[in-house]
Amino acid sequence: MPVTETKKSLHKRHDDLAQANKQLEILSSGIFADGELPTFAEKIKETNQFPLRPKKLEILQINVGYMCNQVCEHCHVDAGPDRKEIMTWETMEQCLEVIKNTGAHTLDLTGGAPEMNPNFRRFVEEASKAGIKDFIVRSNLTIIRANKKYHDLPEFFKKHNVHVVSSMPHWTRGKTDKQRGEGVFDKSIKALQELNAVGYGMPDSDLRLDLVYNPNGAYLPSDQAGMEKDFKKALMEDFGIQFHNLFAITNLPIARFLDYLIASENYEDYMYQLVEAYNPAAVANVMCTNTISISWDGWLYDCDFNQMLDLKVNSKVKHISEYNEDVLNDRNIIISQHCYGCTAGAGSSCQGTVA
Ligand code: SF4
Ligand code: SF4
């Protein structure tokens, strides 16, 4: 379904797939229930990696809200302008307490478009004082050009030494706009040039600018290093843009990407691809082994994907108000068939490949 045909989230359309339990039901039935394909649990049992357990916590990922200025076709958050779930300042204060005391070295703010949370800047200002080594904001780029009030974001990011990680599905207008909406490419290019202009992405700059690629359809990303080379060459030649690294991310079969797979009759083929590309070596480093994901309303999850499937952590501690890193670290990670998206080929995480 091209994005131009639907500007609404699954939630707004009251689509069945807006319900996490409906998605989980699909992921557990059909080819997985009748034994045609092994479940993820069965697969990781083959290499004695079940139950999946966390290692040392390295990343706190905070989702400050599902509101977004875009309605991308593949979005696993089902984000959009019609989503009203936004983290309150009260929950942000609870997060700040955790950030001050965490052993994690990376703080990763995501959304929706995190910048649309009315308290985003106040939160960044406070969080940056905690001295976390790597402070990431996931920006969709177009937000910088969406409205005058966001135009100074590159300067704001610079001031707080934020590491900007931005989605950029392709270096061509056609492929980018097909996945993310008309006009997204031109706005993204302009935003990248503005980030470059304040020093982001320059070869010797400490102002980190990384891009995230995810495929346009029902196929897996190709080699990350090769794609990074192609992106760098094309963006430099065509627009004079520079950036540091490219992360290639596999689309996980949840929310709008699951909807796309089903509507295009690609669901089973895609699951076959994921299972066939299963790489046991990737299991040890999947994102949930070093991350805690916090939702806009303060619930704790193994990862952003489990958050969207409403699979809260399997721990006594389930909410930011009762956060305890030692207790949380002693848990089994909740898995289902969507996890195959993290272990296909070289593996996939918010930081790109893992194996
Ligand atoms: S993929 Fe990112 S930019 Fe697109 S709708 Fe989802 S949150 Fe917004
Ligand atoms: S989807 Fe989440 S829980 Fe499953 S393997 Fe990936 S990071 Fe871990």
Side-chain angles (χ1 to χ4, degrees):
M1 204 167 0
V3 73
T4 43
E5 277 173 39
T6 170
K7 298 275 186 208
K8 290 181 184 167
S9 66
L10 296 169
H11 268 80
K12 183 73 178 173
R13 284 184 266 149
H14 302 292
D15 192 293
D16 269 4
L17 278 184
Q19 306 306 320
N21 57 1
K22 184 69 195 166
Q23 297 179 47
L24 286 165
E25 198 184 303
I26 291 169
L27 288 167
S28 301
S29 57
I31 41 179
F32 292 102
D34 65 16
E36 208 175 307
L37 288 178
T39 63
F40 190 71
E42 286 164 349
K43 202 71 186 165
I44 65 173
K45 274 179 195 165
E46 288 173 8
T47 42
N48 297 322
Q49 285 166 296
F50 182 88
L52 199 51
R53 300 274 298 172
K55 298 184 289 194
K56 191 179 167 339
L57 180 74
E58 295 182 82
I59 304 170
L60 273 182
Q61 188 171 62
I62 304 182
N63 193 317
V64 296
Y66 302 159
M67 187 181 282
C68 189
N69 57 318
Q70 292 182 190
V71 195
C72 305
E73 185 176 58
H74 66 284
C75 184
H76 76 271
V77 179
D78 189 27
D82 56 49
R83 295 300 299 266
K84 306 297 179 221
E85 300 90 335
I86 285 285
M87 186 176 275
T88 61
W89 180 248
E90 193 192 348
T91 307
M92 285 181 167
E93 281 184 309
Q94 292 175 322
C95 290
L96 286 169
E97 266 318 294
V98 167
I99 292 164
K100 279 181 209 151
N101 298 305
T102 182
H105 56 62
T106 298
L107 175 63
D108 186 339
L109 295 196
T110 188
E115 302 92 331
M116 290 178 86
N117 183 309
N119 289 308
F120 169 75
R121 292 191 192 219
R122 190 176 167 199
F123 188 53
V124 169
E125 279 160 14
E126 291 302 317
S128 64
K129 292 178 194 159
I132 291 256
K133 205 167 128 211
D134 189 9
F135 186 178
I136 296 172
V137 171
R138 292 186 185 266
S139 175
N140 68 17
L141 293 175
T142 62
I143 192 70
I144 296 172
R145 300 304 311 157
N147 183 306
K148 236 164 71 185
K149 70 177 174 185
Y150 300 120
H151 286 184
D152 66 336
L153 276 170
E155 286 290 354
F156 175 79
F157 290 148
K158 179 180 178 175
K159 184 170 169 207
H160 297 286
N161 199 20
V162 161
H163 171 180
V164 178
V165 178
S166 293
S167 342
M168 190 74 195
H170 208 256
W171 62 81
T172 60
R173 184 175 288 106
K175 287 194 173 167
T176 301
D177 286 1
K178 182 189 173 293
Q179 181 187 101
R180 300 178 78 82
E182 226 174 287
V184 165
F185 183 76
D186 290 341
K187 282 190 195 142
S188 302
I189 291 296
K190 182 95 178 78
L192 284 172
Q193 288 168 334
E194 287 171 359
L195 285 162
N196 276 174
V198 300
Y200 271 99
M202 294 297 136
D204 297 325
S205 173
D206 287 338
L207 296 167
R208 303 287 311 168
L209 173 62
D210 297 324
L211 299 186
V212 174
Y213 159 88
N214 63 294
N216 242 320
Y219 55 91
L220 307 185
S222 45
D223 164 59
Q224 181 170 280
M227 286 189 23
E228 181 178 286
K229 243 168 103 189
D230 293 344
F231 262 78
K232 283 197 163 163
K233 186 167 181 286
L235 288 178
M236 177 46 115
E237 281 177 9
D238 296 348
F239 306 103
I241 288 170
Q242 302 195 68
F243 65 95
H244 291 122
N245 296 113
L246 180 88
F247 304 146
I249 294 189
T250 303
N251 288 314
L252 261 66
I254 63 173
R256 289 213 287 270
F257 191 66
L258 179 60
D259 180 52
Y260 157 80
L261 289 174
I262 293 170
S264 61
E265 297 183 0
N266 276 306
Y267 170 69
E268 290 195 358
D269 281 355
Y270 191 69
M271 296 314 287
Y272 264 94
Q273 281 185 63
L274 291 182
V275 175
E276 273 162 22
Y278 172 76
N279 174 4
V283 178
N285 295 319
V286 283
M287 212 163 45
C288 49
T289 58
N290 69 354
T291 303
I292 286 286
S293 157
I294 303 163
S295 64
W296 65 277
D297 48 359
W299 294 102
L300 307 176
Y301 300 85
D302 301 303
C303 69
D304 203 48
F305 305 112
N306 280 8
Q307 182 184 142
M308 301 315 150
L309 292 170
D310 199 22
L311 299 168
K312 295 185 178 73
V313 279
N314 180 11
S315 167
K316 263 197 325 223
V317 170
K318 288 196 190 297
H319 194 264
I320 190 82
S321 55
E322 54 194 11
Y323 191 89
N324 179 318
E325 228 144 75
D326 292 334
V327 175
L328 270 170
N329 225 34
D330 184 19
R331 71 185 199 279
N332 291 342
I333 292 163
I334 302 178
I335 54 170
S336 183
Q337 283 48 268
H338 63 296
C339 298
Y340 274 119
C342 295
T343 55
S348 177
S349 76
C350 283
Q351 326 285 334
T353 57
V354 298

